[in-house]
Amino acid sequence: MNLIDTLNWRYAVKKYTPQKVSNENVEQILKAISLSASSAGIQPYRVFIINNKQIRQELAKDSFNAQISEASHLIAFAAFDSITKEHISDFIQFMAKERGLPETALAEYKNTLENHLLTKTDDENFIWSSQQAYIALGTGLIAAANAKVDATPMEGFHSETLDELLNLKEKGLKSVLLLALGYRDAENDFLANQKKVRLPLTELVTEIN
């Protein structure tokens, strides 16, 4: 399939079969997420694969999304609850190491990040970090579709519950998104054979000349 056919095939699955996604496909999706576009390249979020059945069942209690407990895999995206000088310093050190540069070569870039991010409130930086996680989620959805793995992006869960279950507060994180992975139960999912409905480009897109 080409990309457009693949995206037409994809939808937010409501019912999953018990079939498990292979470790190879999960790793491919995670690698794609890691390569997602990220402002300044800083990736101000972390990704958790929740295999623990008890945690998934506990989280599902407070949600209308049965996919939380039924899907093959559940991925959680958690954003930084603030941006600190240490976050920026660690990022610069890592970048210098990966590119074989002295940290001094990145001093101007480091100052730019500090001047831009450290002058914002924690709430503003959390919103920014969350938006970066949404971009990564989108990349994960496309990567899953490319591997012919079904997926469901979800906001309908109690983030406070998940934060407590995963001890995210101690890590300086807040959960913002979930991504279920698996294979559609076409016989029991009412959306499985429905036509995808999207605005025509003539209505969605305005060309400014």
Side-chain angles (χ1 to χ4, degrees):
M1 283 189 182
N2 63 33
L3 177 60
I4 300 304
D5 288 339
T6 297
L7 294 178
N8 270 313
W9 171 86
R10 187 214 67 78
Y11 75 102
V13 172
K14 305 302 180 187
K15 296 290 292 183
Y16 284 93
T17 70
Q19 183 181 354
K20 293 294 183 182
V21 179
S22 69
N23 291 335
E24 180 182 5
N25 278 335
V26 173
E27 183 176 0
Q28 179 179 335
I29 293 165
L30 292 172
K31 283 183 177 179
I33 289 171
S34 76
L35 292 169
S36 180
S38 175
S39 179
I42 203 168
Q43 295 176 287
Y45 53 86
R46 294 295 180 262
V47 180
F48 297 83
I49 306 174
I50 306 175
N51 296 320
N52 186 292
K53 290 183 179 180
Q54 289 182 328
I55 289 178
R56 289 177 60 171
Q57 289 171 354
E58 186 66 27
L59 186 61
K61 286 180 185 178
D62 297 325
S63 174
F64 56 83
N65 292 308
Q67 303 95 320
I68 290 174
S69 58
E70 293 177 356
S72 169
H73 288 72
L74 184 68
I75 297 174
F77 292 77
F80 288 3
D81 60 11
S82 66
I83 302 295
T84 67
K85 196 166 186 176
E86 288 72 23
H87 285 140
I88 295 173
S89 179
D90 289 345
F91 172 63
I92 292 297
Q93 288 177 15
F94 179 65
M95 178 180 282
K97 179 182 177 183
E98 288 294 293
R99 293 182 174 175
L101 297 171
E103 286 186 44
T104 52
L106 298 172
E108 184 176 346
Y109 185 46
K110 182 179 181 182
N111 288 336
T112 299
L113 291 176
E114 290 180 347
N115 291 334
H116 178 68
L117 296 173
L118 299 184
T119 56
K120 296 183 182 296
T121 66
D122 286 348
D123 284 344
E124 288 173 330
N125 274 324
F126 174 67
I127 291 171
W128 174 75
S129 297
S130 299
Q131 290 169 338
Q132 301 307 303
Y134 274 85
I135 296 172
L137 172 82
T139 302
L141 286 171
I142 296 171
N146 184 65
K148 285 296 173 289
V149 173
D150 286 303
T152 311
M154 293 175 284
E155 292 179 315
F157 69 100
H158 285 283
S159 58
E160 296 86 357
T161 299
L162 185 56
D163 292 353
E164 184 176 347
L165 290 169
L166 299 184
N167 297 314
L168 294 184
K169 185 176 181 180
E170 289 80 358
K171 299 178 176 74
L173 297 165
K174 293 180 183 178
S175 58
V176 292
L177 293 161
L178 295 175
L179 178 62
L181 300 175
Y183 296 99
R184 67 188 68 176
D185 182 351
E187 292 184 2
N188 296 300
D189 189 338
F190 73 96
L191 278 180
N193 298 308
Q194 297 290 322
K195 181 180 179 180
K196 186 184 290 288
V197 178
R198 293 293 187 271
L199 292 173
L201 290 181
T202 53
E203 185 173 346
L204 179 67
V205 179
T206 299
E207 185 173 352
I208 310 297
N209 294 315

